[in-house]
Amino acid sequence: MKMLINAPDRVVDDALRGMAAAHPELSVDVENRVVVRRDAPVSGKVSLVSGGGSGHEPLHAGFVGRGMLDAACPGEVFTSPVPDQAFRAATATDSGAGVLFVVKNYTGDVLNFDMAMELAEDEGVRAARVLVEDDVAVTDSLFTAGRRGTGGTLFVERLAGAAAEEGAPLETVEALARRVAGACRSYGVALSPCSTPAKGGPTFDLPADELELGIGIHGEPGRERRPMMTAAEIAEVTVDALLEDFGAPAAGRPFLAVVNGMGATPLLELYGFHAEVHRVLAERGVTLARTLVGNYVTSLDMAGCSVTLCEADDALLRLWDTPVSTAALRWGC
């Protein structure tokens, strides 16, 4: 596989150097692999810290900034950051109002962030943690006990980040983050495998005439393989899986949505797929109040897509619309 890299063992550091050069509003510690908003710590503000394995960009470092995260710590490709990274991120951004760790439900992430939380508390930092486990496709996968954390992480980071930006106390931000995490459902589809820099080739085999339904963001197995389907057929399967897990959403309740590319699917295809998702949801009586279409929670160069729905209300929509300024999301500024 051809890759635009210098060497496999330098991929993350090189990316962080490039982020630092492109975004002077961020403070990027390449050696310790911590990305912090340059104005941190913000007086009186709860700090939001997240992170995870690299390869899912723009998650998480691309969401550092006003209205979202205060800091992110990237690990090696598909590998959890170590506790010291998350601890550094917490202490660099804590203003005294406390720190909320947003953690995707992967075993390494959970263990390492829990250790970081203990280290922070030992230093007198008030800390809390919210777990994102929104993938409806698979429970107890290769990397998790319970459901995997995927696209719902964006909604948690954005909405909790908005509340923190407005000065909400730690207990309120934590409760909101838990509420949002519980209101999210995601489902992913792979059209091709991804290739890691270390391996230099595909991480799993997927025949050209097949797709995998319910795939994870590390290439973990999904629910089943089927012959290649049309965008309309994939939308039917995806939306029905999400709504089945929601049960019976309240009539007229608005939803937030992310129609997400896995890294190698062009926007031309993603917008066409969103047209089908929107159609199916409308046929099922579901109203989309806000939608993002693009690459937000990726899996290196995997071709495919995921859909995340978040059941919302007027209060969450108001928070969503407040100003946000990050490398990957920006409006109202």
Side-chain angles (χ1 to χ4, degrees):
M1 299 293 295
K2 297 177 181 177
M3 296 183 180
L4 195 63
I5 64 174
N6 291 312
D9 61 349
R10 289 176 49 188
V11 168
V12 177
D13 289 348
D14 286 350
L16 289 173
R17 289 192 301 107
M19 172 169 270
H23 296 284
E25 72 275 15
L26 300 176
S27 176
V28 181
D29 182 343
V30 177
E31 181 180 358
N32 294 300
R33 295 185 177 177
V34 177
V35 179
V36 177
R37 54 187 285 183
R38 191 167 289 280
D39 61 349
V42 180
S43 178
K45 178 188 175 302
V46 170
S47 167
L48 261 70
V49 173
S50 191
S54 296
H56 306 305
E57 289 73 19
L59 189 81
H60 295 271
F63 299 143
V64 174
R66 178 185 176 191
M68 288 193 79
L69 296 176
D70 292 83
C73 37
E76 287 290 347
V77 172
F78 291 176
T79 303
S80 172
V82 298
D84 281 353
Q85 288 176 263
F87 170 69
R88 285 178 183 273
T91 54
T93 58
D94 178 41
S95 68
V99 175
L100 177 67
F101 292 103
V102 179
V103 185
K104 301 188 304 303
N105 187 34
Y106 295 95
T107 301
D109 287 16
V110 173
L111 292 174
N112 288 347
F113 273 92
D114 280 353
M115 290 178 64
M117 185 171 168
E118 292 177 5
L119 291 171
E121 290 175 334
D122 287 345
E123 293 295 317
V125 176
R126 289 198 304 135
R129 191 245 298 162
V130 61
L131 193 64
V132 184
E133 41 189 350
D134 56 307
D135 182 8
V136 307
V138 174
T139 300
D140 298 328
S141 69
L142 296 177
F143 292 85
T144 65
R147 289 183 166 180
R148 303 177 291 212
T150 58
T153 313
L154 183 153
F155 287 125
V156 175
E157 293 176 354
R158 169 63 189 127
L159 293 166
E165 202 71 49
E166 292 185 337
L170 179 60
E171 295 76 15
T172 300
V173 176
E174 178 189 4
L176 177 73
R178 292 187 186 281
R179 174 189 167 197
V180 173
C184 292
R185 306 289 190 277
S186 295
Y187 189 91
V189 178
L191 307 183
S192 75
C194 60
S195 301
T196 63
K199 184 175 177 62
T203 55
F204 62 95
D205 295 321
L206 184 58
D209 59 347
E210 294 182 358
L211 53 72
E212 182 135 10
L213 299 173
I215 196 74
I217 57 175
H218 305 96
E220 311 99 306
R223 283 186 175 182
E224 61 177 312
R225 289 190 178 185
R226 291 190 190 178
M228 187 59 193
M229 302 158 65
T230 66
E233 292 168 334
I234 295 172
E236 294 271 353
V237 171
T238 299
V239 169
D240 285 345
L242 294 170
L243 295 184
E244 179 183 358
D245 202 84
F246 272 113
R253 176 68 61 85
F255 278 77
L256 300 164
V258 175
V259 175
N260 173 66
M262 302 300 282
T265 302
L267 276 171
L268 180 70
E269 295 178 30
L270 289 177
Y271 275 114
F273 179 62
H274 172 56
E276 299 299 342
V277 170
H278 190 275
R279 172 188 60 81
V280 178
L281 286 169
E283 290 173 355
R284 307 296 191 268
V286 175
T287 301
L288 289 184
R290 307 285 189 277
T291 305
L292 294 177
V293 179
N295 290 301
Y296 296 100
V297 183
T298 62
S299 184
L300 292 170
D301 62 343
M302 182 186 289
C305 59
S306 65
V307 176
T308 301
L309 297 179
C310 178
E311 196 169 8
D313 56 21
D314 289 344
L316 292 184
L317 292 180
R318 186 196 67 78
L319 286 172
W320 181 261
D321 290 338
T322 60
V324 59
S325 180
T326 70
L329 286 186
R330 185 182 300 268
W331 59 72
C333 296

